[in-house]
Amino acid sequence: MTEELRLPDVTPDDLMKRPIHIFGCGTVGRRVAEMFGRWGAPHIILCDFDTVEKHNVLGRSAQGYTHADIGVHKVEALANALARYNPDIAIEKQNRKLVSTETLSGFVFACVDDMEARMSIRESAFESPEACFLCEARLTDSSGRVFALNPHNVEHQARYSEPPLWYSNSEIEPGGCGSPSMYPLTAIDATRLMTGALFSFLRREKGSPESFVNMSRFISIPSFVVEEEEWC
């Protein structure tokens, strides 16, 4: 392979001026945070109002927390874990629920299991000029869907806002993110797709001919089939 055809390397320096904003520190959010923390991301913002419970430590819904974390706010426990292997990382801990809309910046990851929260993150990203990338995961016990888009691209906004994608919390399929029945493999695959989407976005910014990740990805477990739908 010639030098001209190599994909540009992505380094932590590519994230220096823009934070990674993670909403939800559960099954997927924690894995996403750890992935970027170990990679060397300099600035991560964690937002979650929940505390670590026993079922977050053991069993099929284990989220990577330890017995010592039980009763501790998830943002605090996760920040402590990140700092243990990356002491130079700047971590903002926001132990709170989302407001209807708020100003966001950088790379936004929606890892929540509440549809109203997803809507708030969507609208906040659309209305925040400094938010350049939006990625969201929705999981059941045997499948998942990952969205990745430019929140200021009009076509991306339209596709991501289509009515079939948005419904009430009462219509969420049982076995979704955070439930005891969710397969850990679904979360692992979703994490891989979400982090890969940001790396693809960064390579595109650095001049790679690689297509940007403006698409929806559907994961099927246990077959590990990933179906992609490009949005433009």
Side-chain angles (χ1 to χ4, degrees):
M1 180 179 292
T2 65
E3 189 65 30
E4 290 75 22
L5 293 178
R6 293 182 184 276
L7 291 175
D9 289 334
V10 177
T11 72
D13 289 342
D14 296 313
L15 303 178
M16 190 62 68
K17 296 182 180 180
R18 294 171 294 188
I20 293 176
H21 203 144
I22 299 173
F23 288 96
C25 298
T27 309
V28 175
R30 179 181 175 104
R31 286 180 167 88
V32 170
E34 288 186 333
M35 181 75 75
F36 286 120
R38 291 180 183 274
W39 181 64
H43 185 189
I44 295 179
I45 302 171
L46 305 174
C47 183
D48 196 306
F49 67 92
D50 210 355
T51 57
V52 179
E53 300 180 38
K54 185 176 181 179
H55 70 266
N56 301 139
V57 177
L58 300 172
R60 296 177 69 183
S61 62
Q63 298 174 353
Y65 294 100
T66 68
H67 184 78
D69 294 325
I70 295 176
V72 178
H73 292 299
K74 287 184 177 180
V75 293
E76 189 72 36
L78 180 50
N80 291 339
L82 294 177
R84 280 195 290 271
Y85 48 76
N86 186 358
D88 297 325
I89 191 172
I91 305 172
E92 291 185 41
K93 298 171 288 187
Q94 300 181 359
N95 179 42
R96 61 179 178 83
K97 289 188 175 183
L98 289 169
V99 296
S100 55
T101 57
E102 51 189 86
T103 302
L104 304 177
S105 63
F107 313 107
V108 180
F109 288 85
C111 306
V112 297
D113 56 5
D114 180 275
M115 188 58 71
E116 292 181 2
R118 289 171 179 150
M119 291 179 184
S120 295
I121 295 168
R122 179 193 67 184
E123 295 307 310
S124 296
F126 285 179
E127 296 175 13
S128 298
E130 298 301 317
C132 61
F133 172 87
L134 173 60
C135 194
E136 185 218 328
R138 303 182 189 181
L139 306 182
T140 70
D141 56 1
S142 60
S143 65
R145 194 168 186 180
V146 172
F147 303 93
L149 61 145
N150 176 346
H152 306 300
N153 180 297
V154 175
E155 184 171 353
H156 297 184
Q157 290 181 350
R159 295 293 300 273
Y160 188 50
S161 301
E162 291 176 350
L165 298 179
W166 302 93
Y167 36 83
S168 66
N169 283 328
S170 63
E171 298 175 275
I172 293 178
E173 183 177 346
C177 184
S179 80
S181 63
M182 194 189 75
Y183 293 137
L185 290 177
T186 314
I188 292 171
D189 225 26
T191 302
R192 176 181 63 82
L193 293 177
M194 295 181 88
T195 53
L198 180 53
F199 288 142
S200 179
F201 172 81
L202 292 171
R203 285 194 293 266
R204 180 70 172 178
E205 278 197 327
K206 299 182 76 171
S208 168
E210 180 179 15
S211 298
F212 173 51
V213 289
N214 44 25
M215 61 182 65
S216 162
R217 289 181 166 107
F218 180 79
I219 312 161
S220 178
I221 302 293
S223 63
F224 298 101
V225 172
V226 177
E227 300 175 6
E228 295 187 354
E229 175 190 1
E230 295 191 16
W231 285 357
C232 70

